[in-house]
């Protein structure tokens, strides 16, 4: 079995401490309602109905639970054990079936082509810049060709201190993903992430890598 390098230990430790030291409901990014881009992914059938979907960086599981209750077979991963405990506890209380596990977005514990779709609301933009290409490679590995990814990240237009230290531009996101994914739509979401402007993108995993420039 190939051993893949994961998130650097200082980053893993930081996320563990965040969820250990602060109740998840008090974290600034927590919402009890699913994110708008994910609601639209269901209402507009962007993800294969009833398919197996991966929630990368699921936190306390709000988006995962919404997908599970919408008929998807959901696996949610997060590097913070306390986040996964919270998500699993909420699933039990809601009597909703979802597979939550502690795992690393840069070394996903799943076989090739396991999922028909994936979502990422706020994980990608927290990763070290040098790790983002590896993240895309891992997602491409576990998504089957034609699988969809609903991605959302804090926009560069948001200039206040709260939020990820590096807010990627649309061109940066495209540069990292485009070799493995086609962009089907990209949208500026304004202040719909609470009061934080964000971007949403819908991508499709390529069957073959992007052709070279012509």
């Amino acid at each position: 079995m190939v051993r893949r390098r994961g998130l650097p230990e200082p980053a893993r430790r930081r996320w563990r401490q965040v969820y250990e030291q602060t109740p998840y409901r008090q974290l600034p990014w927590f919402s009890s309602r699913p994110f708008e881009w994910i609601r639209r992914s269901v209402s507009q059938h962007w993800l294969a109905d009833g398919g197996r979907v991966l929630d990368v960086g699921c936190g306390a599981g709000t988006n995962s639970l919404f997908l599970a209750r919408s008929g998807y077979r959901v696996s949610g991963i997060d590097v913070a054990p306390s986040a996964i405990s919270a998500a699993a506890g909420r699933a039990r209380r809601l009597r909703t079936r979802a597979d939550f596990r502690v795992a690393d977005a840069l070394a996903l514990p799943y076989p090739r082509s396991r999922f028909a779709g994936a979502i990422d609301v706020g994980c990608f933009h927290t990763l070290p810049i040098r790790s983002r290409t590896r993240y895309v490679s891992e997602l491409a590995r576990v998504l089957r060709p034609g699988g969809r990814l609903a991605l959302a990240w804090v926009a560069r237009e948001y200039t206040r201190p709260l939020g990820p230290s590096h807010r990627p531009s649309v061109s940066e996101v495209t540069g990292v993903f485009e070799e493995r994914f086609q962009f089907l739509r990209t949208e500026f979401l304004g202040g719909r992430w609470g009061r934080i402007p964000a971007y949403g993108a819908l991508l499709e995993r390529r069957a073959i890598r992007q052709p070279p420039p012509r």
Side-chain angles (χ1 to χ4, degrees), residues 124-189:
F124 171 74
H125 65 207
T126 69
L127 295 172
I129 294 173
R130 65 183 180 276
S131 299
R132 291 174 180 175
T133 300
R134 188 158 74 250
Y135 167 86
V136 172
S137 294
E138 275 294 273
L139 268 184
R141 182 182 64 81
V142 302
L143 273 176
R144 65 190 60 166
R148 299 279 182 85
L149 167 65
L151 174 69
W153 70 95
V154 171
R156 182 167 287 187
E157 286 79 358
Y158 181 67
T159 58
R160 296 183 181 181
L162 178 65
S165 56
H166 178 256
R167 296 115 199 232
S169 67
V170 172
S171 62
E172 286 179 286
V173 175
T174 303
V176 175
F177 276 92
E178 198 168 22
E179 183 180 1
R180 301 294 190 108
F181 289 85
Q182 289 181 309
F183 282 72
L184 304 183
R185 69 174 68 199
T186 305
E187 185 174 329
F188 180 60
L189 302 177

Side-chain angles (χ1 to χ4, degrees), residues 17-18 43 53 58-59 61 75 80 90 100 108 133 158 162 164 173 186:
Q17 291 172 346
V18 163
S43 66
V53 176
C58 66
S75 297
R90 295 175 73 200
F100 291 109
L108 294 170
T133 300
Y158 181 67
L162 178 65
V173 175
T186 305

Side-chain angles (χ1 to χ4, degrees), residues 14-134:
R14 182 171 65 251
W15 284 112
R16 288 197 299 264
Q17 291 172 346
V18 163
Y19 278 93
E20 288 169 357
Q21 296 173 0
T22 306
Y24 71 87
R25 291 185 178 277
Q26 296 178 17
L27 293 169
W29 54 81
F30 174 76
S31 173
S32 61
R33 301 179 63 186
F35 188 60
E36 176 196 357
W37 200 241
I38 306 309
R39 292 199 302 269
R40 288 172 63 185
S41 74
V42 171
S43 66
Q44 299 184 22
H45 305 282
W46 295 348
L47 304 174
D49 291 344
R52 194 182 298 275
V53 176
L54 175 65
D55 183 356
V56 187
C58 66
T62 296
N63 293 312
S64 292
L65 295 172
F66 169 72
L67 288 172
R69 300 186 83 178
S70 299
Y72 293 89
R73 291 171 288 167
V74 181
S75 297
I77 65 115
D78 202 284
V79 75
S82 295
I84 292 301
S85 294
R90 295 175 73 200
R92 287 192 296 271
R93 290 192 296 274
L94 293 171
R95 298 182 180 180
T96 301
R97 180 175 295 180
D99 171 41
F100 291 109
R101 64 178 71 183
V102 178
D104 190 326
L106 303 183
L108 294 170
Y110 302 105
R112 187 176 301 276
S113 300
R114 171 73 167 173
F115 297 97
I119 67 169
D120 175 340
V121 179
C123 179
F124 171 74
H125 65 207
T126 69
L127 295 172
I129 294 173
R130 65 183 180 276
S131 299
R132 291 174 180 175
T133 300
R134 188 158 74 250

